[in-house]
Amino acid sequence: MNRVMEGAAAVPAEGARAGVADRQGQLAPLMIAPAIAYIVALIGIPFVMAALYSLSDVTTGDPSIDFVGLHNYREVFYDPVFRTALSNTCLFALASQTLVIILSRILASALMQDFRGKWLARFLIMLPWTAPIALGTIGWLWMLDSIFSPFDWLLRRAGLLGAPGVLLGPMPNLYWLGQSGLAMASVVLVHVWRLLPLATVIQMAGLSSISRDLLEAAAVDGATGWRRTLEITIPLTLPIIGIAFLFGIVFTFTDMTVVYVLTRGGPVHTTQVLSTWTFFRGIEGGDLAQGAAISLFLFPVLAGVASLMLRMARRAEVT
Amino acid sequence: MAKKGRKGLTRREFVKAAGLGALAAGVAPGILLPGRSYAQAKDLKILVWSHFVPRFDKEWFDNFARNWGQANGVNVTVDHIGIAEIASRTAAEISAGQGHDLIEWVASPSQFEPSVLDLGDVVSEAEKKFGKQLPLCRRTSYNPNTKKFYSFCHGWTIDPGNYRKSLWEKAGKGSGPTTWEDLITYGGKIKREQGIQLGIGLSQEIDSNMAGRALLWSYDTSDQDEKENIIINNPKTVEAVKYMARLFQEAMVPEVFAWTAVSNNQSLIAGRASYILNSISAYRSAQKEVPEIAKDIYFTPALKGPRGTGWSCEHVIYNYIVPKYSKNADTAKKFLLALVENYDQAMYASELYNSPAFFDTPIPSGNRGYAPVKGARKLRDLHNAWFSDDPFALPGETKGKLLVLKDAEKWSTNVGHPGPANPAVGEIYSTFVIPNMFAGAARGTKPETAVAQAETQIKSIFAKWREKGLVGGTK
């Protein structure tokens, strides 16, 4: 505050003509106002509307709001599909992000080394992040197709599928999206594919911030590669790994595209997640109020994750 | 710091410029487009789905709407959206209180009843001019509880069985299946001996919804009765569910759990299905892409259940709504009547995908864009002639393949059968309760349990919409 005052006093010559641009006390709130307006308009108001809707009997065809208390929450909570969707949402987020963190750590280490074609490798690894999620997922839908899957073709060519007595059975296809276990694994796989680049870049940033002297000193003292990783690299990059993990959790938790495009929640709701169930119930089914109630179940988890992210970001900054 | 005469922008100049830019961006539309804030009397904005037969939109509907607008002094705008976006777009426009004057649905839009105009006057006028509306179309646009036509139904699509004749001939049933049991007997045999499964979706998508309902109705059961009471949990439903579990084991593979709206077409054209339930669009695609498969595709009417009942679900049912916010309702209603009047062209441009809601509509005189049909005076005559001798058949293709679809309205019915469509059956449809009930049993859930689970969901959905007064029945 004092610095702001000093700044303002430092331009007495133009004092009479000084505009807002020179009054930092006013300029700061003015500059931040668009961001706040943006957040209020696109996050704050929809959130309040969702909360209002969830306490009402509003439908897509009748936007008038009559309050029904917590009725929608009770209905939603006793719905077995909702419980499946809730557990799937958590499962997909945790499973995919655990894999993402492990794989991104390996990739980041590899990409920190010097080798021929390093830039091409980095470019290729970043590609999934640049593709729109829907487009990428449609690509995966074709790859996992019941009839034309190239994975199935490769497995058949390798003699692992499509003949009596072979490892993966006599059927010509695995039906990736038609069998619960494989469908769930497919959803996790696509989440890993799309979030791996971001996590890798974050981990590379963390790795590059570790002092080379420290690692060289440890090597001189006889620490092996594993020991250096476990006792120096990982502890020092833990805050940034945490940030990558939590970012991924938020992205996966709130994503609707992957499940909607790949499985639409099937077979028999076994890949249903909260965001798709919100859509089917609230928009397609017309029950906007229950849709809102389902979507708000995401809020406490996301609020907790956001709070953790902020704490970790602060820790990372101090480190 | 902020001296004038320096090259580039000072901070102050930047802030001013940015502020002016933002101001201009916000105000400019109001200055440049002042007319936007006023509704123009002779405008008509129409939102329609992108038809499965592309030439329907490109070669006919868009031109028809534009020409009608020119002839009537109306500035017509037609916007097309994908089938999956209709629900969310309609909800957004209704919520915003502005948007298109006419919105076309390909299902019953009954949940929008409180926010749309009663189109009873259009239906009366249409019946006066074009004869009686088909009952299944009426049942998907009229709420008998509120006595309101929440939509105007101008057409529908037949959903027959499509089978590969050569495969069925080898199995000893060249005329194709006539009962659901035939699918197990002969479809199972084809799978065992020829390695080709049949494809009836058990997934969370529209074709699975239609197939599941057709099976229920053919087993003399449904989710509701004609008075909109819930009747799903009864021995006949359990019987139908047991049948589906057997059918899956004998004649299908797990691809049906991942079925999508294009899977029917895809598997039939790829030669990987001996039988599917679909409109003739799969056949039309095959005619263009794999003619030898198309020549092998034949059709069956609704399959019969154990007591001889056979019903098929309409594949697509075209319903226009006029939202209450529309300032051009009268123009919209005139357009709907003109559409029915010219439905001969809609049938032809859709390659017989569209069937009319008003079969007695007279055929307008003059060049209609297709070879005249001798003696045809009404749409019924055209329908009969075209289904007897398909104008889109490939050279050398067997004649009369579509003949079995000529009387399709007798064995086709609406979602909600034997009652009307309503928001409850609509939500059951959108949340895939019926296909999941069948799929659950096919994957090993006890049939009685699968039915009971479906009943729990259906009861909750019905209770909610009954409270809103949009659904009848008490049980």
Side-chain angles (χ1 to χ4, degrees):
Chain A
M1 191 65 175
N2 286 340
R3 287 175 64 190
V4 171
M5 298 291 286
E6 285 162 21
V11 284
E14 291 186 37
R17 291 175 52 240
V20 174
D22 294 314
R23 294 191 201 119
Q24 292 197 11
Q26 290 174 7
L27 186 63
L30 200 67
M31 295 292 272
I32 208 167
I36 291 173
Y38 181 86
I39 290 168
V40 168
L42 295 182
I43 298 170
I45 293 174
F47 179 77
V48 172
M49 292 295 287
L52 274 178
Y53 281 0
S54 72
L55 300 170
S56 75
D57 67 348
V58 66
T59 67
T60 50
D62 183 5
S64 62
I65 293 178
D66 299 312
F67 285 100
V68 295
L70 296 173
H71 174 78
N72 289 315
Y73 289 96
R74 277 195 296 273
E75 284 283 310
V76 161
F77 201 72
Y78 289 113
D79 176 7
V81 181
F82 166 77
R83 293 201 293 270
T84 306
L86 183 62
S87 88
N88 281 345
T89 306
C90 297
L91 178 72
F92 291 155
L94 289 172
S96 61
Q97 291 324 300
T98 305
L99 282 171
V100 162
I101 292 303
I102 295 168
L103 294 174
S104 64
R105 178 68 184 78
I106 295 167
L107 263 179
S109 295
L111 292 174
M112 293 293 285
Q113 308 300 317
D114 284 325
F115 59 90
R116 265 173 93 92
K118 177 175 163 178
W119 291 106
L120 181 67
R122 282 187 176 184
F123 169 74
L124 290 174
I125 285 162
M126 281 307 292
L127 265 185
W129 186 248
T130 60
I133 305 169
L135 208 61
T137 312
I138 289 171
W140 278 103
L141 181 67
W142 293 340
M143 304 265 279
L144 301 168
D145 187 85
S146 291
I147 298 175
F148 302 111
S149 168
F151 297 131
D152 290 349
W153 181 82
L154 284 171
L155 291 169
R156 283 196 299 270
R157 298 283 291 183
L160 299 171
L161 179 70
V166 298
L167 184 67
L168 296 171
M171 290 217 257
N173 297 86
L174 279 179
Y175 308 110
W176 294 90
L177 305 175
Q179 314 223 50
S180 302
L182 285 175
M184 292 171 86
S186 301
V187 171
V188 171
L189 171 78
V190 176
H191 278 307
V192 169
W193 170 81
R194 80 184 182 96
L195 289 170
L196 190 58
L198 175 70
T200 305
V201 169
I202 293 175
Q203 295 240 33
M204 280 168 69
L207 287 176
S208 62
S209 69
I210 298 173
S211 161
R212 208 168 257 279
D213 295 346
L214 192 63
L215 293 170
E216 280 169 4
V220 168
D221 287 347
T224 60
W226 270 111
R227 196 142 178 224
R228 287 200 300 273
T229 301
L230 292 173
E231 294 187 14
I232 297 175
T233 316
I234 290 181
L236 285 179
T237 55
L238 203 55
I240 212 153
I241 291 173
I243 289 172
F245 183 76
L246 293 174
F247 255 119
I249 290 282
V250 171
F251 280 130
T252 321
F253 227 84
T254 52
D255 178 72
M256 171 179 152
T257 314
V258 172
V259 168
Y260 185 77
V261 172
L262 279 190
T263 64
R264 291 174 65 86
V268 199
H269 297 301
T270 50
T271 59
Q272 198 72 266
V273 289
L274 289 179
S275 50
T276 46
W277 191 230
T278 296
F279 181 75
F280 287 132
R281 189 115 237 181
I283 303 296
E284 301 260 301
D287 190 346
L288 216 46
Q290 280 201 10
I294 295 165
S295 71
L296 284 177
F297 272 88
L298 291 167
F299 177 69
V301 178
L302 293 177
V305 171
S307 157
L308 266 175
M309 274 169 70
L310 289 173
R311 280 188 192 187
M312 297 198 94
R314 206 175 305 140
R315 274 179 60 195
E317 197 181 331
V318 171
T319 308
Chain B
M1 290 284 284
K3 298 250 165 89
K4 289 195 173 178
R6 280 178 58 181
K7 284 183 180 174
L9 286 173
T10 64
R11 188 177 61 180
R12 185 195 296 177
E13 284 163 348
F14 169 76
V15 171
K16 278 182 181 170
L20 279 173
L23 189 68
V27 173
I31 298 167
L32 299 174
L33 304 166
R36 289 229 160 194
S37 46
Y38 302 101
Q40 289 170 6
K42 286 285 185 179
D43 272 351
L44 184 65
K45 289 170 76 179
I46 306 172
L47 184 68
V48 291
W49 77 311
S50 297
H51 202 286
F52 282 151
V53 180
R55 64 175 281 201
F56 181 89
D57 293 339
K58 285 183 200 156
E59 293 177 20
W60 184 70
F61 186 81
D62 294 357
N63 292 332
F64 163 73
R66 193 183 56 238
N67 294 342
W68 179 85
Q70 282 169 358
N72 291 277
V74 179
N75 179 27
V76 180
T77 308
V78 179
D79 294 318
H80 294 272
I81 53 169
I83 189 171
E85 296 168 68
I86 299 173
S88 49
R89 183 64 182 266
T90 308
E93 295 197 1
I94 296 281
S95 179
Q98 58 183 335
H100 293 83
D101 301 298
L102 275 172
I103 302 175
E104 188 182 46
W105 271 60
V106 289
S108 172
S110 55
Q111 70 269 37
F112 289 97
E113 186 178 327
S115 299
V116 298
L117 296 180
D118 185 350
L119 298 178
D121 52 347
V122 192
V123 177
S124 299
E125 185 66 18
E127 289 200 324
K128 218 182 284 173
K129 282 184 164 178
F130 312 121
K132 204 99 184 114
Q133 189 182 33
L134 205 63
L136 80 92
C137 292
R138 192 183 183 90
R139 285 199 300 269
T140 24
S141 53
Y142 178 68
N143 185 339
N145 305 295
T146 57
K147 315 256 183 271
K148 180 173 173 179
F149 277 94
Y150 48 81
S151 62
F152 179 79
C153 179
H154 61 82
W156 62 293
T157 297
I158 305 166
D159 195 40
N162 302 217
Y163 73 100
R164 293 275 311 283
K165 196 176 183 67
S166 60
L167 303 174
W168 283 76
E169 258 168 0
K170 274 187 205 158
K173 184 85 173 166
S175 57
T178 53
T179 66
W180 283 95
E181 202 54 43
D182 282 347
L183 293 185
I184 292 183
T185 311
Y186 299 97
K189 195 173 171 192
I190 292 169
K191 185 188 166 201
R192 283 191 304 276
E193 294 175 0
Q194 302 176 58
I196 308 281
Q197 64 272 23
L198 58 85
I200 292 178
L202 290 173
S203 174
Q204 312 210 125
E205 52 85 43
I206 55 171
D207 290 329
S208 305
N209 255 322
M210 294 167 204
R213 277 166 177 78
L215 177 61
L216 280 183
W217 301 330
S218 302
Y219 269 68
D220 306 292
T221 180
S222 183
D223 42 5
Q224 66 168 13
D225 65 14
E226 65 275 11
K227 296 238 165 36
E228 301 171 85
N229 293 303
I230 302 163
I231 55 162
I232 188 82
N233 198 350
N234 71 69
K236 286 171 183 167
T237 306
V238 174
E239 188 186 7
V241 170
K242 282 180 181 167
Y243 164 83
M244 185 57 93
R246 268 197 308 134
L247 179 66
F248 171 72
Q249 292 298 331
E250 295 287 329
M252 299 202 282
V253 294
E255 67 179 341
V256 292
F257 298 125
W259 214 241
T260 67
V262 297
S263 295
N264 277 325
N265 296 29
Q266 200 181 52
S267 57
L268 194 70
I269 292 169
R272 291 287 296 270
S274 64
Y275 175 94
I276 59 165
L277 264 176
N278 200 26
S279 67
I280 59 170
S281 63
Y283 165 62
R284 293 290 187 226
S285 302
Q287 282 180 313
K288 291 174 185 93
E289 291 166 29
V290 198
E292 62 275 21
I293 294 275
K295 287 176 183 172
D296 195 32
I297 296 172
Y298 285 71
F299 300 93
T300 65
L303 299 178
K304 289 187 167 55
R307 287 163 288 276
T309 311
W311 284 111
S312 164
C313 184
E314 40 73 14
H315 188 76
V316 158
I317 192 134
Y318 304 97
N319 278 285
Y320 272 108
I321 54 171
V322 181
K324 279 182 179 167
Y325 61 69
S326 171
K327 294 183 174 72
N328 305 300
D330 289 338
T331 312
K333 289 175 181 178
K334 280 180 196 152
F335 177 83
L336 292 177
L337 291 171
L339 177 64
V340 176
E341 200 173 347
N342 290 278
Y343 221 77
D344 57 326
Q345 293 181 329
M347 291 158 67
Y348 190 81
S350 69
E351 299 176 358
L352 311 188
Y353 188 86
N354 284 33
S355 286
F358 298 89
F359 270 105
D360 293 330
T361 305
I363 301 167
S365 56
N367 179 7
R368 303 298 296 157
Y370 53 82
V373 174
K374 202 177 168 189
R377 291 190 183 147
K378 294 178 176 177
L379 294 185
R380 166 70 66 195
D381 303 325
L382 271 186
H383 172 91
N384 288 348
W386 284 339
F387 278 87
S388 302
D389 187 4
D390 180 9
F392 303 99
L394 295 171
E397 201 170 1
T398 309
K399 277 199 169 186
K401 278 170 121 181
L402 301 181
L403 199 59
V404 293
L405 313 186
K406 208 166 78 171
D407 63 348
E409 78 269 18
K410 290 182 186 157
W411 43 263
S412 299
T413 190
N414 57 293
V415 173
H417 171 88
N422 61 42
V425 294
E427 189 175 338
I428 293 165
Y429 191 93
S430 301
T431 51
F432 315 107
V433 176
I434 301 297
N436 280 333
M437 174 181 75
F438 286 118
R443 287 158 43 88
T445 305
K446 203 175 158 203
E448 288 81 359
T449 309
V451 175
Q453 285 170 348
E455 186 191 31
T456 306
Q457 289 178 278
I458 289 172
K459 277 184 171 171
S460 157
I461 291 169
F462 261 79
K464 187 173 58 193
W465 291 104
R466 275 194 187 126
E467 269 180 35
K468 290 200 154 269
L470 295 175
V471 177
T474 51
K475 286 179 260 175

